[in-house]
Amino acid sequence: MAVSSCTKAFPSFECRSDPDLSGGISGREISTDGRRRFTCKLNSGVLSAHALSYSSIYRFPPNFVRQLSNKARRNCSNIGVAQIVAASWSNNQPPVSPSTPTAKAVDTAADVVAPIEIPIGVVAAVVETGDSVCKDVQFKNLANAKYSSFLTSDGSVAIHAGERLGRGIVTDAITTPVVNTSAYFFKKTSDLIDFKEKRSVSFEYGRYGNPTTVVAEEKISALEGAESTLLMASGMCASTVMLMALVPAGGHIVTTTDCYRKTRIFIETILPKMGITATVIDPADMGALESALNEKKVSLFFTESPTNPFLRCVDIELVSKLCHEKGALVCIDGTFATPLNQKALALGADIVLHSATKYIAGHNDVLAGCLSGPEKLISIVRNLHHILGGALNPNAAYLIIRGMKTLHLRVQQQNSTALRIAEILEAHPKVRHVYYPGLPSHPEHELAKKQMTGFGGVVSFEVDGDLLTTAKFVDALKIPYIAPSFGGCESIVDQPAIMSYWDLPQAERAKYGILDNLVRFSFGVEDFGDVKADILQALETI
């Protein structure tokens, strides 16, 4: 089934007030002669195609919104094929027989609707059926539908993808509704059987999916250029489920020295119980990676880029090439980079992971994690996720959708502030070392310039002093909160030796490069001048 539009399309058509149709109609109803007519505004500019003949009236069952496949929603245009179809195109057509099964997506029409000229700026969806009568078009057939987006920037995509551009939930509301339900009903047993035998697509149970969550997933997929995205209850949930799903028992992974501590703990203590071993390499040591690939049957290479907390960068393109030659998958945790600063999938990675708690949601008010990549791989992870049950609450999904609308504005400000402060800190006599990929002194600066469009909003640095001196500096800061996490609107500062590694002796912390004077500063969206003044006054206290 193809979707197109042009200056020739349907005339204004009458919407049935059929009680079997649910969800309402998206668009504008104009009442001029007592009859309801439906029009849709075209925001993308124009669509092209030839006039077609039609032999069917499309009449969707009440639960058509949740039966519409993820891919169909992703491919629908801003006016939404589902929304047009849901209007039950009718131009003086005979009523539909009540005995017609609702599992069918198409009812036979008595007449053919003739195309007419329509004004520029008003458009109707055109569904090509060819010369034959289409007798059983299911929602899954919409998977081949295409739309041409008029959006050219990630910022606009973050606002509209999954919503104005193909939201599956039919509503006149600008914001996506929160669907708070733990289960979904089927109107009759035959609908349930159709669902079980994959003749229709639907939600079934809250742990397996939610319409609000799907909108957030579609938005992230659009930014990452991914076929599919899976949202879970936290970033750690996403990483652990991914590792268990994609690495077989007895398998081997390669990871890097610098990484989030809880990820390291999982790799070192939990995976070995499943017979899964790991090789740990320096992020820049491609020789060590090649040796591991040659000596072991590596299933997966998994790393952050940039890493936590030293912001080391991995050559994603080279790593992907080396791993794919040996049949190994590549998963990049791009939390520090965000989908705006780095496109890991475009660089060759198979999967990109984010703690959506951080920049994606961006307001320090939600926990979430996500995986994006080809549907084939994400489906494998999804199957295990459904068993383990770390489902995202739909209210959290709404917060992610809300947060992503300002993602590009926040990241631009955070990138700018972080780079300017990093330069100031590097020149300050009370700072020993600064870790930030935007600085020429960073070991992967040239690589970062090659594969990133911005260097992120986190800067790590070592104060000229010991544990207590560094704590004094941290306590003298007035703007940032002393807290874990990063990526929100509010600046956050922490001293890793105390915040994340306090349970380890100093000698053990040093093995991971965590010195007592290390500070990790996550910049929010406060004014640069205010943040600069605050940091400089705090340094003057030590």
Side-chain angles (χ1 to χ4, degrees), residues 72 75 90 109 114 131 141 154 189 224 228 236 261 275 278 286 290 335 337 417-418 440 445 469 494 537:
N75 289 335
S90 172
D131 297 330
N141 290 17
D154 281 346
T189 302
E224 290 289 6
S228 181
M236 274 306 299
R261 189 183 175 204
M286 294 299 99
E290 289 186 271
T335 301
T417 299
H445 175 62
T469 300
D494 78 85
Q537 69 80 24

mmCIF file of all heavy atoms in Angstrom, residues 72 75 90 109 114 131 141 154 189 224 228 236 261 275 278 286 290 335 337 417-418 440 445 469 494 537:
data_model
loop_
_atom_site.group_PDB
_atom_site.id
_atom_site.type_symbol
_atom_site.label_atom_id
_atom_site.label_comp_id
_atom_site.label_asym_id
_atom_site.label_seq_id
_atom_site.Cartn_x
_atom_site.Cartn_y
_atom_site.Cartn_z
ATOM 1 N N ALA A 72 4.175 1.613 10.990
ATOM 2 C CA ALA A 72 3.170 2.367 10.257
ATOM 3 C C ALA A 72 3.079 3.775 10.808
ATOM 4 O O ALA A 72 3.030 4.748 10.080
ATOM 5 C CB ALA A 72 1.817 1.671 10.357
ATOM 6 N N ASN A 75 5.873 5.875 9.671
ATOM 7 C CA ASN A 75 5.876 6.246 8.263
ATOM 8 C C ASN A 75 4.712 7.146 7.860
ATOM 9 O O ASN A 75 4.662 7.639 6.752
ATOM 10 C CB ASN A 75 5.847 4.987 7.395
ATOM 11 C CG ASN A 75 7.164 4.239 7.452
ATOM 12 O OD1 ASN A 75 8.186 4.827 7.724
ATOM 13 N ND2 ASN A 75 7.131 2.947 7.207
ATOM 14 N N SER A 90 -16.518 8.750 3.154
ATOM 15 C CA SER A 90 -17.883 8.490 2.737
ATOM 16 C C SER A 90 -18.441 9.685 1.992
ATOM 17 O O SER A 90 -18.555 10.757 2.551
ATOM 18 C CB SER A 90 -18.740 8.195 3.964
ATOM 19 O OG SER A 90 -20.097 8.122 3.606
ATOM 20 N N ALA A 109 -16.960 -0.771 -1.219
ATOM 21 C CA ALA A 109 -17.723 0.442 -1.482
ATOM 22 C C ALA A 109 -18.612 0.235 -2.701
ATOM 23 O O ALA A 109 -18.301 -0.534 -3.589
ATOM 24 C CB ALA A 109 -16.778 1.594 -1.741
ATOM 25 N N ALA A 114 -14.525 10.075 -7.344
ATOM 26 C CA ALA A 114 -13.763 10.733 -8.407
ATOM 27 C C ALA A 114 -12.907 11.843 -7.825
ATOM 28 O O ALA A 114 -13.357 12.620 -7.012
ATOM 29 C CB ALA A 114 -14.729 11.312 -9.429
ATOM 30 N N ASP A 131 -5.770 -1.777 -9.763
ATOM 31 C CA ASP A 131 -6.994 -2.093 -10.486
ATOM 32 C C ASP A 131 -7.865 -3.096 -9.736
ATOM 33 O O ASP A 131 -9.054 -3.196 -9.953
ATOM 34 C CB ASP A 131 -6.649 -2.671 -11.865
ATOM 35 C CG ASP A 131 -5.915 -1.649 -12.720
ATOM 36 O OD1 ASP A 131 -6.175 -0.444 -12.517
ATOM 37 O OD2 ASP A 131 -5.098 -2.055 -13.559
ATOM 38 N N ASN A 141 -0.271 -3.512 6.574
ATOM 39 C CA ASN A 141 0.025 -3.127 5.203
ATOM 40 C C ASN A 141 0.499 -1.684 5.094
ATOM 41 O O ASN A 141 1.060 -1.281 4.096
ATOM 42 C CB ASN A 141 -1.209 -3.315 4.330
ATOM 43 C CG ASN A 141 -1.528 -4.783 4.120
ATOM 44 O OD1 ASN A 141 -1.029 -5.622 4.855
ATOM 45 N ND2 ASN A 141 -2.350 -5.079 3.146
ATOM 46 N N ASP A 154 17.607 18.449 13.669
ATOM 47 C CA ASP A 154 17.293 17.556 14.775
ATOM 48 C C ASP A 154 16.376 18.234 15.787
ATOM 49 O O ASP A 154 15.544 17.587 16.416
ATOM 50 C CB ASP A 154 18.582 17.123 15.484
ATOM 51 C CG ASP A 154 19.311 16.021 14.730
ATOM 52 O OD1 ASP A 154 18.707 15.430 13.824
ATOM 53 O OD2 ASP A 154 20.489 15.763 15.046
ATOM 54 N N THR A 189 -13.858 -12.096 21.001
ATOM 55 C CA THR A 189 -12.856 -13.158 20.967
ATOM 56 C C THR A 189 -12.159 -13.256 19.617
ATOM 57 O O THR A 189 -10.956 -13.516 19.548
ATOM 58 C CB THR A 189 -13.514 -14.513 21.314
ATOM 59 O OG1 THR A 189 -14.105 -14.416 22.601
ATOM 60 C CG2 THR A 189 -12.478 -15.621 21.330
ATOM 61 N N GLU A 224 17.796 9.199 16.160
ATOM 62 C CA GLU A 224 18.932 8.295 15.984
ATOM 63 C C GLU A 224 19.003 7.696 14.589
ATOM 64 O O GLU A 224 19.993 7.058 14.235
ATOM 65 C CB GLU A 224 18.868 7.161 17.018
ATOM 66 C CG GLU A 224 19.135 7.590 18.456
ATOM 67 C CD GLU A 224 20.599 7.949 18.702
ATOM 68 O OE1 GLU A 224 21.397 7.974 17.731
ATOM 69 O OE2 GLU A 224 20.952 8.225 19.850
ATOM 70 N N SER A 228 13.984 1.010 15.188
ATOM 71 C CA SER A 228 13.194 0.728 16.381
ATOM 72 C C SER A 228 13.903 1.218 17.635
ATOM 73 O O SER A 228 15.133 1.251 17.702
ATOM 74 C CB SER A 228 12.945 -0.789 16.494
ATOM 75 O OG SER A 228 12.154 -1.100 17.620
ATOM 76 N N MET A 236 20.370 1.550 33.465
ATOM 77 C CA MET A 236 20.975 0.277 33.865
ATOM 78 C C MET A 236 20.113 -0.897 33.434
ATOM 79 O O MET A 236 20.621 -1.950 33.038
ATOM 80 C CB MET A 236 21.199 0.243 35.380
ATOM 81 C CG MET A 236 22.501 0.868 35.839
ATOM 82 S SD MET A 236 23.981 0.183 35.019
ATOM 83 C CE MET A 236 23.905 -1.531 35.506
ATOM 84 N N ARG A 261 30.362 2.982 36.907
ATOM 85 C CA ARG A 261 30.784 1.941 37.845
ATOM 86 C C ARG A 261 29.788 0.781 37.946
ATOM 87 O O ARG A 261 30.189 -0.391 38.029
ATOM 88 C CB ARG A 261 31.002 2.548 39.238
ATOM 89 C CG ARG A 261 31.656 1.523 40.160
ATOM 90 C CD ARG A 261 31.849 2.013 41.562
ATOM 91 N NE ARG A 261 32.368 0.937 42.375
ATOM 92 C CZ ARG A 261 32.230 0.869 43.682
ATOM 93 N NH1 ARG A 261 31.608 1.832 44.342
ATOM 94 N NH2 ARG A 261 32.728 -0.153 44.347
ATOM 95 N N GLY A 275 28.638 -17.529 32.656
ATOM 96 C CA GLY A 275 29.743 -18.017 31.841
ATOM 97 C C GLY A 275 30.235 -17.000 30.839
ATOM 98 O O GLY A 275 31.004 -17.332 29.925
ATOM 99 N N ALA A 278 34.911 -11.198 29.884
ATOM 100 C CA ALA A 278 35.121 -9.887 29.275
ATOM 101 C C ALA A 278 36.599 -9.556 29.150
ATOM 102 O O ALA A 278 37.411 -9.936 29.996
ATOM 103 C CB ALA A 278 34.415 -8.812 30.093
ATOM 104 N N MET A 286 43.227 0.146 19.811
ATOM 105 C CA MET A 286 42.638 -0.693 18.768
ATOM 106 C C MET A 286 43.416 -1.997 18.580
ATOM 107 O O MET A 286 42.873 -3.012 18.146
ATOM 108 C CB MET A 286 42.577 0.076 17.445
ATOM 109 C CG MET A 286 41.622 1.261 17.464
ATOM 110 S SD MET A 286 39.897 0.815 17.785
ATOM 111 C CE MET A 286 39.746 1.190 19.543
ATOM 112 N N GLU A 290 41.766 -5.710 18.421
ATOM 113 C CA GLU A 290 42.028 -6.689 17.364
ATOM 114 C C GLU A 290 42.517 -8.011 17.946
ATOM 115 O O GLU A 290 42.122 -9.089 17.478
ATOM 116 C CB GLU A 290 43.050 -6.131 16.377
ATOM 117 C CG GLU A 290 42.514 -5.014 15.500
ATOM 118 C CD GLU A 290 43.508 -4.577 14.440
ATOM 119 O OE1 GLU A 290 44.319 -3.670 14.728
ATOM 120 O OE2 GLU A 290 43.481 -5.152 13.322
ATOM 121 N N THR A 335 25.060 8.223 26.085
ATOM 122 C CA THR A 335 24.388 9.104 27.039
ATOM 123 C C THR A 335 25.054 10.473 27.138
ATOM 124 O O THR A 335 24.382 11.508 27.118
ATOM 125 C CB THR A 335 24.341 8.449 28.433
ATOM 126 O OG1 THR A 335 23.655 7.198 28.344
ATOM 127 C CG2 THR A 335 23.613 9.344 29.419
ATOM 128 N N ALA A 337 26.908 11.918 24.974
ATOM 129 C CA ALA A 337 26.921 12.624 23.687
ATOM 130 C C ALA A 337 25.562 13.201 23.322
ATOM 131 O O ALA A 337 25.474 14.284 22.740
ATOM 132 C CB ALA A 337 27.396 11.682 22.587
ATOM 133 N N THR A 417 28.406 26.307 27.227
ATOM 134 C CA THR A 417 28.901 26.622 28.571
ATOM 135 C C THR A 417 30.048 25.704 28.967
ATOM 136 O O THR A 417 31.068 26.147 29.505
ATOM 137 C CB THR A 417 27.762 26.502 29.600
ATOM 138 O OG1 THR A 417 26.728 27.442 29.259
ATOM 139 C CG2 THR A 417 28.253 26.802 31.007
ATOM 140 N N ALA A 418 29.909 24.409 28.698
ATOM 141 C CA ALA A 418 30.934 23.438 29.081
ATOM 142 C C ALA A 418 32.269 23.738 28.397
ATOM 143 O O ALA A 418 33.331 23.710 29.041
ATOM 144 C CB ALA A 418 30.475 22.023 28.732
ATOM 145 N N PRO A 440 41.942 20.817 22.909
ATOM 146 C CA PRO A 440 43.034 20.190 22.149
ATOM 147 C C PRO A 440 43.901 19.280 23.012
ATOM 148 O O PRO A 440 44.548 18.366 22.485
ATOM 149 C CB PRO A 440 43.834 21.404 21.647
ATOM 150 C CG PRO A 440 42.828 22.506 21.560
ATOM 151 C CD PRO A 440 41.911 22.287 22.737
ATOM 152 N N HIS A 445 40.769 14.407 21.079
ATOM 153 C CA HIS A 445 40.169 15.652 20.590
ATOM 154 C C HIS A 445 39.891 15.609 19.087
ATOM 155 O O HIS A 445 38.795 15.965 18.634
ATOM 156 C CB HIS A 445 41.076 16.842 20.910
ATOM 157 C CG HIS A 445 40.595 18.137 20.351
ATOM 158 N ND1 HIS A 445 39.388 18.708 20.710
ATOM 159 C CD2 HIS A 445 41.150 18.991 19.420
ATOM 160 C CE1 HIS A 445 39.217 19.840 20.058
ATOM 161 N NE2 HIS A 445 40.271 20.038 19.263
ATOM 162 N N THR A 469 40.321 19.496 50.506
ATOM 163 C CA THR A 469 40.414 20.760 49.759
ATOM 164 C C THR A 469 39.398 20.769 48.621
ATOM 165 O O THR A 469 38.716 21.773 48.369
ATOM 166 C CB THR A 469 41.827 20.956 49.188
ATOM 167 O OG1 THR A 469 42.769 20.971 50.258
ATOM 168 C CG2 THR A 469 41.924 22.259 48.401
ATOM 169 N N ASP A 494 29.720 16.735 41.463
ATOM 170 C CA ASP A 494 30.012 15.665 42.425
ATOM 171 C C ASP A 494 31.499 15.363 42.440
ATOM 172 O O ASP A 494 32.212 15.639 41.467
ATOM 173 C CB ASP A 494 29.185 14.406 42.136
ATOM 174 C CG ASP A 494 29.715 13.575 40.988
ATOM 175 O OD1 ASP A 494 30.605 12.742 41.222
ATOM 176 O OD2 ASP A 494 29.234 13.757 39.848
ATOM 177 N N GLN A 537 34.668 32.057 42.059
ATOM 178 C CA GLN A 537 34.654 32.417 43.479
ATOM 179 C C GLN A 537 34.906 31.202 44.356
ATOM 180 O O GLN A 537 35.550 31.294 45.402
ATOM 181 C CB GLN A 537 33.338 33.127 43.851
ATOM 182 C CG GLN A 537 32.069 32.285 43.839
ATOM 183 C CD GLN A 537 31.843 31.413 45.070
ATOM 184 O OE1 GLN A 537 32.388 31.727 46.159
ATOM 185 N NE2 GLN A 537 31.085 30.347 44.903
#
